[in-house]
Amino acid sequence: MPDAEDVRRIALSLPDTTEKVAWSMPTFRVAGKMFATLPEEETSLAVRCPKEERDELVLAEPEKFWIADHEANFAWVRARLAALDGEDELRDILADSWRQAAPIRLLEEHPDLGVPQNG
């Protein structure tokens, strides 16, 4: 089961990522743009997610994903760390969110980063 330290280690391994405390919680940013946070006493993870995909995730796996009330109008979703299927799923979630926030320059330098591995 992944925990907050796994989130921190994986997030900070992504190119040009920094950690900054904001709203009394750790946030992770690529080139200054936030792509993940550790809210709820660091037992969950908030990441960027297009609204259509977010709604599908929440419907398909409500024990794992939910939408915080104050984020309902934004393209963010929450994931319970204890419900994730290990580090591979956590890495995929973080890398996908990183891709949504990363500048084109970084996306071009790391074309395979965040693309789910089918295997």
Side-chain angles (χ1 to χ4, degrees):
M1 167 180 80
D3 62 17
E5 286 310 308
D6 296 319
V7 171
R8 184 169 280 110
R9 177 176 45 79
I10 293 168
L12 291 173
S13 75
L14 298 169
D16 205 12
T17 295
T18 58
E19 180 176 353
K20 178 181 177 182
V21 173
W23 307 287
S24 302
M25 72 179 121
T27 67
F28 300 92
R29 299 158 190 260
V30 55
K33 196 170 181 184
M34 192 164 48
F35 71 92
T37 68
L38 278 167
E40 281 88 39
E41 285 75 48
E42 300 186 6
T43 60
S44 71
L45 170 70
V47 291
R48 291 175 173 269
C49 185
K51 287 184 183 178
E52 312 76 47
E53 291 177 30
R54 173 189 77 172
D55 295 343
E56 290 175 18
L57 278 175
V58 171
L59 284 172
E61 298 183 88
E63 71 289 346
K64 189 180 292 188
F65 298 103
W66 86 99
I67 301 165
D69 290 342
H70 67 280
E71 294 168 346
N73 293 323
F74 302 97
W76 285 78
V77 69
R78 301 280 177 103
R80 291 170 183 84
L81 292 175
L84 296 181
D85 298 325
E87 274 195 37
D88 288 344
E89 184 176 28
L90 175 60
R91 184 173 285 106
D92 287 347
I93 289 169
L94 284 167
D96 184 58
S97 186
W98 179 91
R99 285 184 63 78
Q100 293 174 59
I104 291 171
R105 151 186 79 78
L106 284 174
L107 295 176
E108 288 173 349
E109 289 172 15
H110 305 278
D112 295 332
L113 190 58
V115 178
Q117 303 302 310
N118 297 328

